[in-house]
Amino acid sequence: MRGDREFRKVRNHGVAVRDPLFTLRLTEYRPRYGEVWQPRAIMGIVVSKKTLKRAVDRNRVRRRVREALRTLPGGLPPCRAILLPNPGVLSVPFTDLQAALARAIAKAPSQAKRGGSGKSGNPRQSARVPERVTAAPPSPPKDRP
């Protein structure tokens, strides 16, 4: 993924799938502006300095996760996703990492893979249309003694 805007869209509209090794935030595939429709998986791997202090470790985690995603049996569904690995990714066997990624992708709601979270429009807006409210007739003024 490129740019803050794409990451922000996935963070705001994506469905989070948590695993002891990582957090996967997933949303449907949409092409970039002006791009032809080619359904594919677009992944962003984010490893913060807070998670792993040394750059060597952060780069090693990225390489391991990238290779595990590339060699997944069955491939990846068309989606946009952000993967936030935990430090455990460094010490876990590669086959376990692949299995955890496959489980997380399979566990992700199919609506996120297909296109949308089932909601449309403003999330604050209620689906129910309120009944028309009429103003109560003004009460007659009370005479004070």
Side-chain angles (χ1 to χ4, degrees):
M1 289 195 330
R2 288 186 250 154
D4 182 52
R5 186 176 183 191
E6 290 183 29
F7 278 89
R8 207 172 335 117
K9 280 184 182 179
V10 174
R11 261 187 264 121
N12 291 339
H13 302 294
V15 177
V17 178
R18 287 175 178 71
D19 190 81
L21 297 175
F22 53 82
T23 299
L24 179 70
R25 195 164 278 277
L26 190 65
T27 187
E28 78 279 354
Y29 169 78
R30 293 249 173 108
R32 293 182 182 107
Y33 180 77
E35 214 176 50
V36 258
W37 180 265
Q38 294 176 335
R40 61 195 170 155
I42 300 172
M43 300 286 281
I45 302 168
V46 179
V47 187
S48 69
K49 283 185 179 180
K50 186 177 180 181
T51 305
L52 291 166
K53 302 286 184 211
R54 297 175 4 159
V56 174
D57 294 336
R58 291 194 302 271
N59 292 334
R60 183 157 186 240
V61 164
R62 280 191 209 101
R63 284 194 306 270
R64 288 193 85 197
V65 168
R66 199 176 299 129
E67 185 64 17
L69 288 168
R70 189 182 72 78
T71 58
L72 264 180
L76 294 168
C79 63
R80 284 187 187 274
I82 298 174
L83 189 87
L84 302 152
N86 293 335
V89 172
L90 282 174
S91 59
V92 74
F94 189 74
T95 53
D96 293 349
L97 176 60
Q98 272 189 318
L101 284 167
R103 269 194 321 269
I105 290 170
K107 196 188 322 181
S110 61
Q111 295 212 344
K113 294 179 196 169
R114 229 185 8 207
S117 60
K119 298 179 199 169
S120 62
N122 188 352
R124 294 181 190 175
Q125 192 176 16
S126 172
R128 196 183 78 198
V129 178
E131 295 179 24
R132 177 170 240 160
V133 178
T134 56
S139 59
K142 295 182 180 178
D143 291 333
R144 291 189 182 181

